Amino acid sequence: MYSSSLLSLESSLGRRTFLRRFGRIAALAGAGSAFYSVPGAFAEELVRTPKQTEGPFYPDHLPLDTDNDLLVINDALTPAVGEITYVSGRILSPAGEPIRNALVEIWQCDQNGAYLHSKTGNGDKRDPNFQGFGRFITGSRGEYLFRTIKPVPYPGRCPHIHYAVKMKGHEKWTTQCYIKGHPGNEKDGIWRGIKDEKQRDAVTVDFAAMPGSKAGELAATFDLVMGYTPEL
Ligand SMILES: [Fe+2]
């Protein structure tokens, strides 16, 4: 699955472009997390990522394609509308150990505020080219990567990307990722529901211009610190 995800991302970007971008993203994802791979390197545990509600819009019908490139469904020629964003990070234990073979799922509304759900708002305005949902299985460093759009607000919510992490022997775990500095955050009941400031910061990340990207693509790094230690 890992390699097929890479392949389909490759085919949509062109191999050389993809490798260059993936290299850059891997570097971004690794920045600041190099120490995490040394168990016991920190006297204190990492801040655990707060669990957040799954919400009502986990897809009730899966898209035809569930890979990690949400901009293109299968071999479609027309990509989704939105600000292209590479979202990457690692799934970690509280001690910073990578959790591999975790199934990471994301889902979010399209540029017009429509989810892949029969009860979504804005369903009549759905962008038919947005995949809306994707999956990735973490590798040996616990890393994941998605290409998607920068999330947008919809009535009642500030922009967010939903995450589910599924691992053998553990219940499905869900959270949401937010845009640092977005004015809607302070008005959002679910974001505000995280009372601990450090935990709030842990799910609120920069969506910044990707270094060297002429097309204005964005990159966001979101590490998820789970409440358990991987089995080795
Ligand atoms: Fe949502």
Side-chain angles (χ1 to χ4, degrees):
M1 181 166 194
Y2 182 89
S3 54
S4 70
S5 298
L6 293 182
L7 280 174
S8 67
L9 193 54
E10 257 183 60
S11 62
S12 64
L13 290 172
R15 183 175 169 77
R16 294 181 67 118
T17 313
F18 172 79
L19 291 175
R20 214 164 52 232
R21 289 184 188 167
F22 185 76
R24 192 177 295 143
I25 278 294
L28 284 171
S33 51
F35 297 108
Y36 294 173
S37 58
V38 184
F42 293 100
E44 289 180 40
E45 293 195 331
L46 299 174
V47 175
R48 292 189 192 189
T49 307
K51 192 172 178 180
Q52 290 247 276
T53 175
E54 176 175 316
F57 298 123
Y58 183 91
D60 59 357
H61 52 286
L62 290 181
L64 293 174
D65 182 11
T66 58
D67 74 353
N68 65 335
D69 183 6
L70 280 68
L71 286 188
V72 177
I73 299 173
N74 288 328
D75 295 325
L77 295 176
T78 312
V81 175
E83 286 188 78
I84 299 174
T85 304
Y86 290 82
V87 185
S88 65
R90 302 173 72 196
I91 312 297
L92 300 167
S93 75
E97 300 155 293
I99 299 181
R100 65 177 177 221
N101 290 329
L103 175 62
V104 182
E105 296 180 335
I106 67 167
W107 68 102
Q108 66 187 100
C109 66
D110 66 20
Q111 189 70 6
N112 301 320
Y115 277 96
L116 271 185
H117 195 285
S118 51
K119 295 200 169 61
T120 185
N122 304 307
D124 54 332
K125 291 186 265 177
R126 179 191 303 287
D127 174 0
N129 299 308
F130 185 54
Q131 192 171 295
F133 171 90
R135 288 175 164 151
F136 197 95
I137 295 176
T138 57
S140 59
R141 296 179 60 249
E143 77 281 8
Y144 72 86
L145 168 70
F146 292 99
R147 188 172 77 143
T148 185
I149 62 170
K150 184 180 180 184
V152 299
Y154 58 88
R157 290 303 316 276
C158 65
H160 58 278
I161 300 176
H162 291 268
Y163 275 71
V165 179
K166 296 176 177 173
M167 274 198 65
K168 218 175 171 185
H170 295 275
E171 275 183 24
K172 179 167 73 170
W173 183 97
T174 55
T175 194
Q176 301 181 28
C177 173
Y178 301 88
I179 300 171
K180 190 181 277 182
H182 194 281
N185 295 346
E186 303 285 344
K187 299 177 206 133
D188 186 285
I190 297 179
W191 185 82
R192 280 207 319 256
I194 307 169
K195 300 298 179 197
D196 181 290
E197 200 179 328
K198 279 187 187 164
Q199 287 201 325
R200 225 183 238 181
D201 288 347
V203 293
T204 312
V205 305
D206 271 326
F207 282 68
M210 198 164 163
S213 167
K214 293 195 179 86
E217 293 152 317
L218 306 175
T221 304
F222 180 42
D223 288 337
L224 291 88
V225 179
M226 312 300 293
Y228 50 84
T229 299
E231 289 157 30
L232 297 174

